[in-house]
Amino acid sequence: MTPKGIRPFIGSDDFEQSKDFYRLIGFTENWSSTNMSYFDLGGFGFYLQDADVEDWINNTMLFLEIEDLENILEHLKSLDLQDRFKKVRLSEIVHNNWGSEFFLHDPSGILWHIGRFAK
């Protein structure tokens, strides 16, 4: 098996609001239908579905590995996401023995771990 990528599916309780959120934070919406969109960031992406399944949404976590953790956090803070989207939460950086990360909950509650591994 030679993988070319992996594309998770995530749900949303307000499809249009979630699409606005992901475009605002820097993802490109490459494809969309009435109930699903594909979002890409530098060749990595996911499918956003118009599917409000509470157990699924409340238990979905994604890890986005980046290099420039501090600058990305400051950029996200500058977008006033928590004022624009009611359910969005953004944490400070947490340092662990394996690396560092911060947490971002999208408008539906999907939890993103955005981090960098220790070298």
Side-chain angles (χ1 to χ4, degrees):
M1 182 180 337
T2 306
K4 293 174 69 177
I6 190 166
R7 296 178 177 186
F9 290 77
I10 65 173
S12 63
D13 62 8
D14 184 326
F15 188 53
E16 293 303 320
Q17 183 182 62
S18 290
K19 290 186 345 177
D20 289 344
F21 171 81
Y22 285 110
R23 286 188 294 256
L24 181 63
I25 67 170
F27 282 88
T28 301
E29 186 177 13
N30 286 339
W31 172 87
S32 187
S33 70
T34 58
N35 61 357
M36 187 164 51
S37 291
Y38 179 71
F39 283 88
D40 176 85
L41 182 67
F44 298 93
F46 62 93
Y47 293 100
L48 177 70
Q49 292 186 275
D50 186 7
D52 185 7
V53 181
E54 187 176 355
D55 284 346
W56 178 34
I57 290 172
N58 290 344
N59 290 291
T60 298
M61 292 187 287
L62 299 146
F63 188 95
L64 177 63
E65 182 182 0
I66 60 173
E67 288 294 323
D68 197 359
L69 198 62
E70 294 78 11
N71 284 336
I72 296 302
L73 177 58
E74 290 308 311
H75 171 69
L76 291 174
K77 285 180 178 180
S78 76
L79 298 175
D80 296 319
L81 298 170
Q82 291 161 293
D83 292 333
R84 292 179 185 215
F85 304 95
K86 187 172 83 172
K87 293 183 188 176
V88 168
R89 295 191 325 260
L90 181 62
S91 78
E92 293 298 325
I93 295 173
V94 176
H95 301 284
N96 304 291
N97 60 349
W98 56 264
S100 301
E101 67 181 336
F102 62 86
F103 307 100
L104 175 64
H105 287 84
D106 84 354
S108 297
I110 301 289
L111 174 57
W112 286 82
H113 295 248
I114 301 174
R116 171 183 64 220
F117 291 102
K119 296 182 180 181

